[in-house]
């Protein structure tokens, strides 16, 4: 009788553990089949990757409608928590013709991703908001751009992290510190608001700096744009080609009024 009861209790215990494991598994976010476009509204963006394959673009570009169902385990995917999108670029990656540094970065578009955005700082009001965190930096030159305004020829203004210093950087001009002791993994938000040739820069919803200057054919960018390279004209001594920068974005949006 005792042996029969022991077997009975063993079966009950095993079944209970299996059921509990199934419940726990069901409560975990399933990111294996998730696409970044399910978390972020990517309708009016295209993605530039730090690789150059036979895919269209040099380096590869993922445009709409492909972007709606695109994910890359290496460069662009849903995070483990299922609440953000990972952007990663390695220092040995492919670069665009106008830069020496690789990127996994969104570029603003219009008309459901069919047309490149190109607006003026003197007409209307233009806003970019990013809720994000930086999770990794290159090994030697620990710099990464995490949001920017670009015009037809060059960048106008950056949000960037240099080791622990989070700042706003104007092309050829001011550098304004937002946080001089940023800790990797800390979540924060940044925002550009452009109107009447003034660019307001917000950090965690607080206005930190206003840049005055006119620019045209402008567009927003967001993602991981590392500022280090293991090769080429901007090679950083000692930087490995497998070193990388990584950003997680929880929300990103633009508005034009």
């Amino acid at each position: 009788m005792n042996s029969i009861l022991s077997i009975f209790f063993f079966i009950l215990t095993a079944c209970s553990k299996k059921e509990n494991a199934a419940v726990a598994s069901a409560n975990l976010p399933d990111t294996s089949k998730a696409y970044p476009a399910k978390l972020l509204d990517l309708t009016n963006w295209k993605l530039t990757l730090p690789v150059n394959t036979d895919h269209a673009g040099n380096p590869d570009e993922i445009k709409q409608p492909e972007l709606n169902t695109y994910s890359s385990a290496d460069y662009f995917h849903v995070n483990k928590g299922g609440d953000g999108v990972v952007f990663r670029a390695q220092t040995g990656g492919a670069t665009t013709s106008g830069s020496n540094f690789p990127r996994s970065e969104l570029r603003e578009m219009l008309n459901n991703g069919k047309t490149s955005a190109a607006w003026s700082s003197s007409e209307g009001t233009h806003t970019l908001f990013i809720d994000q965190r930086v999770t990794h930096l290159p090994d030697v030159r620990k710099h990464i751009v995490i949001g920017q305004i670009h015009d037809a020829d060059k960048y106008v203004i950056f949000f960037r992290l240099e080791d622990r210093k989070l700042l706003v950087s104007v092309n050829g001009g001011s550098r304004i510190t937002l946080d001089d002791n940023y800790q990797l993994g800390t979540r924060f938000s940044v925002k550009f608001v452009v109107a009447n040739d003034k660019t307001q820069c917000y950090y965690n919803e607080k206005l930190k700096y206003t840049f005055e200057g006119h620019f045209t054919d402008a567009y927003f960018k967001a993602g991981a744009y590392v500022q280090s390279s293991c090769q080429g004209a901007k090679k950083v001594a000692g930087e490995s080609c497998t070193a990388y920068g990584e950003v997680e974005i929880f929300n990103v949006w633009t508005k034009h009024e």
Side-chain angles (χ1 to χ4, degrees):
M1 178 64 71
N2 288 337
S3 61
I4 295 175
L5 286 174
S6 297
I7 294 171
F8 176 72
F9 283 118
F10 175 80
I11 293 172
L12 281 178
T13 302
C15 290
S16 178
K17 288 181 178 179
K18 190 173 183 180
E19 183 178 343
N20 289 337
V23 170
S25 178
N27 289 332
L28 292 174
D30 180 11
T31 60
S32 62
K33 297 180 181 178
Y35 296 116
K38 296 294 185 182
L39 291 177
L40 306 178
D41 183 357
L42 301 178
T43 303
N44 282 313
W45 296 97
K46 74 174 179 180
L47 175 69
T48 302
L49 295 172
V51 292
N52 190 14
T53 69
D54 57 2
H55 189 283
N58 182 20
D60 291 4
E61 291 184 336
I62 312 299
K63 300 180 179 180
Q64 291 292 6
E66 182 185 5
L67 187 56
N68 279 332
T69 54
Y70 179 80
S71 180
S72 165
D74 294 321
Y75 311 113
F76 179 70
H77 58 89
V78 174
N79 66 6
K80 291 181 179 179
D83 60 351
V85 175
V86 176
F87 294 74
R88 179 187 287 196
Q90 76 280 19
T91 57
T95 67
T96 59
S97 59
S99 176
N100 292 288
F101 301 125
R103 69 189 80 204
S104 174
E105 189 180 42
L106 297 171
R107 194 267 197 214
E108 185 187 14
M109 305 290 283
L110 299 172
N111 302 321
N112 295 317
K114 297 186 177 82
T115 308
S116 296
W119 42 266
S120 169
S121 63
S122 61
E123 299 176 6
T125 301
H126 314 279
T127 305
L128 168 68
F129 173 85
I130 315 172
D131 175 6
Q132 64 188 330
R133 65 183 178 190
V134 181
T135 54
H136 200 278
L137 292 170
D139 298 334
V140 179
R141 191 170 192 253
K142 301 176 182 293
H143 294 193
I144 192 168
V145 168
I146 54 177
Q148 61 171 305
I149 300 174
H150 209 284
D151 67 14
D153 302 313
K154 61 189 181 305
Y155 89 86
V156 177
I157 190 168
F158 280 153
F159 286 114
R160 64 186 290 159
L161 179 64
E162 297 180 354
D163 197 359
R164 292 190 175 183
K165 183 177 288 188
L166 189 63
L167 51 84
V168 174
S169 176
V170 178
N171 192 353
S174 302
R175 288 164 55 89
I176 296 85
T177 299
L178 303 175
D179 184 345
D180 60 6
N181 191 29
Y182 176 79
Q183 302 297 312
L184 287 180
T186 303
R187 187 167 171 174
F188 63 95
S189 69
V190 292
K191 182 169 65 176
F192 287 125
V193 180
V194 185
N196 300 316
D197 290 331
K198 294 181 180 180
T199 301
Q200 295 179 318
C201 305
Y202 292 80
Y203 174 57
N204 289 333
E205 294 296 340
K206 294 182 179 179
L207 179 61
K208 294 294 187 178
Y209 173 69
T210 299
F211 164 68
E212 297 190 19
H214 175 72
F215 46 91
T216 59
D217 295 327
Y219 52 92
F220 293 122
K221 307 192 81 175
Y225 178 25
V226 294
Q227 301 293 288
S228 186
S229 178
C230 67
Q231 58 194 353
K234 293 287 186 177
K235 181 178 179 178
V236 175
E239 192 75 272
S240 165
C241 288
T242 58
Y244 67 94
E246 184 178 272
V247 173
E248 290 185 15
I249 293 182
F250 302 92
N251 191 15
V252 58
W253 53 263
T254 64
K255 182 167 62 175
H256 299 281
E257 301 171 287

